[in-house]
Amino acid sequence: MTQVAREELAQDPLRVARYLLGSELWSSGPHGDVGIRIVEVEAYRGGDDPASHCYRGRTARNAVMFGPAGHLYVYFIYGMHFCINVVCLTDGVPGAVLLRAGEVLSGGELARQRRPAVRKDTHLATGPARLTSVLGITREHNGIDLTAPDSPVRLFTGTPVDEDDVRTGPRVGVASAEDLPWRSWVDGSPAVSTYRRGGRRRTRDRA
């Protein structure tokens, strides 16, 4: 496998989102390795994207989103779940791609141990919280470099997804810019999550 280079990620989040479909994310830890194929993503920008964590500027929480590209932005939602994003663009300019769903390629037994309530293996990494959980990623992984060979979480190029198999639509659960078609997924993958429109009372899974 070829590890993704930082230059490939130092681009607009919409371009990176398309690039990430079919890529592979692998995590290593004391209990073993888990690898997934990325099949659903959402792009987020900064000051021109009211659904982004960075819309109102830099804070201690979102600082990783300001670069450099290739780092992992991890955040906590609902007091119980972590979500992960791949940081994009150039250093100092915020942008990221939320990883929404994946297909487990390796480490299935460990993935099932981490998500014992999931009935189907195809749904182990469906949704950003499950995806993060099966990889064993927590707050301590925030800011790690996905392009470093010795990183505990690494991003690799996978089998390219044909353009005919890519679908786009609105992002899930955002309360602003809810009609922008900045969510992309691999058509036909059983791991892709269910779309739920956002609103004032729902601000799910955004980056």
Side-chain angles (χ1 to χ4, degrees):
M1 293 188 295
T2 302
Q3 198 162 3
V4 172
R6 194 178 317 283
E7 306 82 66
E8 297 290 346
L9 305 173
Q11 305 182 63
D12 185 271
L14 289 170
R15 291 178 60 89
V16 176
R18 173 63 183 89
Y19 174 80
L20 288 176
L21 290 178
S23 299
E24 298 180 12
L25 192 66
W26 288 70
S27 68
S28 301
H31 302 293
D33 297 351
V34 174
I36 66 164
R37 174 180 180 251
I38 299 168
V39 297
E40 184 185 1
V41 295
E42 287 179 350
Y44 289 85
R45 288 180 176 153
D48 63 345
D49 182 1
S52 172
H53 285 175
C54 293
Y55 181 60
R56 300 188 185 280
R58 186 171 186 145
T59 66
R61 182 196 190 202
N62 66 25
V64 174
M65 268 188 78
F66 284 78
H71 287 254
L72 193 69
Y73 171 45
V74 183
Y75 64 88
F76 199 51
I77 58 171
Y78 304 140
M80 64 180 72
H81 300 304
F82 290 101
C83 295
I84 57 174
N85 305 259
V86 177
V87 176
C88 314
L89 290 171
T90 57
D91 198 7
V93 181
V97 176
L98 172 70
L99 304 187
R100 283 203 56 86
E103 298 170 351
V104 176
L105 301 173
S106 181
E109 182 176 350
L110 180 55
R112 285 188 289 272
Q113 291 174 7
R114 289 171 171 165
R115 301 296 307 183
V118 177
R119 296 182 179 182
K120 295 183 178 181
D121 285 356
T122 53
H123 294 167
L124 282 168
T126 295
R130 286 185 183 179
L131 181 151
T132 305
S133 180
V134 299
L135 290 167
I137 294 174
T138 64
R139 196 189 310 275
E140 68 181 21
H141 294 94
N142 187 44
I144 65 171
D145 188 353
L146 300 172
T147 68
D150 59 348
S151 175
V153 186
R154 302 165 307 285
L155 183 64
F156 296 93
T157 58
T159 302
V161 177
D162 192 276
E163 202 64 40
D164 291 339
D165 294 326
V166 176
R167 299 290 180 269
T168 60
R171 294 175 291 190
V172 175
V174 296
S176 303
E178 59 267 30
D179 294 321
L180 288 178
W182 288 4
R183 171 176 168 251
S184 304
W185 66 93
V186 178
D187 189 37
S189 171
V192 172
S193 64
T194 301
Y195 173 71
R196 295 182 178 86
R197 185 176 176 82
R200 289 184 179 274
R201 297 184 180 181
R202 185 188 296 271
T203 54
R204 299 170 62 92
D205 311 332
R206 69 178 190 175

